[in-house]
Amino acid sequence: MLAFTDVRAGGDLDVYAYKLSPSGQFLWGADGVAISNNVDFDANPVLAELSDGSVAIAYARIPSSGTGAIHIQRRSSAGALLGETVINGATNEKPSFAALVASDNGSFIVQWLRNTASFSSPRHIRAMKFDANGAALWNGGAPVIVYDASSVPIAYQPLLESDGAGGAWLAWHAAPASTFTSRVQRLSSSGAELFPHNGVSVSVEAGVQQLSPSIAPMANGDAIVVFNRRNSAQSQWGVGAQRISASGARLWTDPGVSLAALDGQNESFERVVAFGDGALALYFDNPQTPVPASRLRAARLNPSGAFTWMPAGTVSVSA
């Protein structure tokens, strides 16, 4: 299944969704199904298959003036419309950058940014869980405010991952003072913040900024996070990793472990997936900065944060 925007119905972006069989057949028709068709700007669709076999598709509707909204459409496995839920912004606010994961009993969790109408808008992180009929389940119908200490950066997409227990992990970076820090929060199946409000920092390392966290929930309730490290001038780069316990503790020392040293070699696009009882971390590096000659690097970490692939610790997956 995939969802994307195009201009087949006019100059503005509308959302379309497709479902393909294992053999490549178009199960929702050769042209997919139209999720939206209007004169407004509809952006950044995301989808998830739910536990009951239906599909939830979320996107931002951003009108040229007035108030925007997050729209969530539910479709059957055959593509039939089951219903639509709308998360309206406050007056003249334009929420966007939605993320969506499946939860239990056909329910789903949506994360979004409160307002992206202007550079100075309060881009706070909010979340809500909806049942299989699209009814809000948390906080009496009011969104859970995950982060409001400052705005996340403009055009930045926070991450949302299922915790496998009806709740979710969230990861993002922001600079509540002058230094970027990567943070995580875990929400229970009932919407409780399991860590302190505004999340916990994945690393406490003097003079080092942490950006672009990627998160891999573990079966035991912990999560492993890989993130980009930079000096205060953002002229040096490195890669760090941290394991956060189910209670929000940093398990691999407060700074975390270093996958790539902080130096003049550019690293970027960090990603992490659970791998056995540890994790597999991947990232680009550029040994010829500023000449583009990126390599894809990979490191396998054991449960204690030590390298499993030795002696170099990381390997080049491709040149």
Side-chain angles (χ1 to χ4, degrees):
M1 292 178 291
L2 66 157
F4 55 86
T5 59
D6 67 30
V7 295
R8 72 182 73 171
D12 67 300
L13 290 178
D14 293 307
V15 179
Y16 297 88
Y18 289 72
K19 185 177 182 180
L20 303 178
S21 74
S23 62
Q25 294 176 311
F26 288 78
L27 300 180
W28 288 357
D31 296 320
V33 294
I35 305 302
S36 70
N37 186 352
N38 56 74
V39 299
D40 292 325
F41 179 75
D42 295 337
N44 194 34
V46 293
L47 58 76
E49 184 178 16
L50 307 182
S51 63
D52 61 3
S54 64
V55 183
I57 304 164
Y59 63 95
R61 179 164 295 171
I62 305 175
S64 57
S65 63
T67 302
I70 301 294
H71 288 249
I72 308 135
Q73 201 171 103
R74 291 169 290 110
R75 295 266 171 175
S76 72
S77 61
L81 178 63
L82 300 177
E84 186 168 23
T85 300
V86 179
I87 304 171
N88 289 304
T91 302
N92 292 324
E93 290 192 345
K94 293 177 170 61
S96 63
F97 288 95
L100 187 152
V101 294
S103 186
D104 48 0
N105 302 314
S107 66
F108 53 94
I109 298 171
V110 180
Q111 168 196 273
W112 70 95
L113 295 185
R114 168 187 166 183
N115 184 18
T116 61
S118 70
F119 183 84
S120 60
S121 297
R123 295 181 298 279
H124 300 155
I125 302 173
R126 294 181 167 181
M128 175 57 72
K129 184 175 180 178
F130 298 91
D131 68 17
N133 295 314
L137 295 176
W138 286 348
N139 203 29
V144 174
I145 300 172
V146 177
Y147 181 75
D148 60 356
S150 65
S151 289
V152 301
I154 194 167
Y156 175 67
Q157 172 77 67
L159 299 183
L160 178 72
E161 297 284 350
S162 170
D163 70 353
W169 284 88
L170 301 93
W172 67 94
H173 72 248
S178 59
T179 300
F180 281 103
T181 176
S182 290
R183 296 169 179 259
V184 296
Q185 179 60 273
R186 186 179 179 188
L187 300 178
S188 72
S189 180
S190 61
E193 292 183 291
L194 300 181
F195 306 157
H197 182 59
N198 288 317
V200 296
S201 296
V202 302
S203 173
V204 180
E205 186 177 7
V208 177
Q209 309 200 64
Q210 302 99 34
L211 296 94
S212 304
S214 177
I215 187 167
M218 309 296 289
N220 72 339
D222 295 353
I224 294 177
V225 185
V226 171
F227 52 93
N228 190 258
R229 301 164 63 225
R230 301 183 194 179
N231 65 349
S232 57
Q234 298 196 43
S235 60
Q236 293 184 321
W237 303 264
V239 180
Q242 180 65 271
R243 185 168 186 146
I244 303 293
S245 75
S247 61
R250 291 182 289 270
L251 299 180
W252 291 348
T253 75
D254 277 344
V257 298
S258 175
L259 306 187
L262 192 68
D263 55 27
Q265 182 167 299
N266 188 300
E267 286 90 15
S268 60
F269 292 99
E270 293 79 8
R271 298 291 186 270
V272 63
V273 293
F275 196 83
D277 56 359
L280 187 64
L282 301 102
Y283 58 92
F284 288 135
D285 76 349
N286 190 339
Q288 300 178 32
T289 302
V291 178
S294 293
R295 303 177 298 186
L296 177 58
R297 306 281 284 175
R300 184 177 177 183
L301 300 171
N302 72 14
S304 300
F307 289 117
T308 300
W309 295 337
M310 298 300 287
T314 60
V315 298
S316 291
V317 179
S318 63

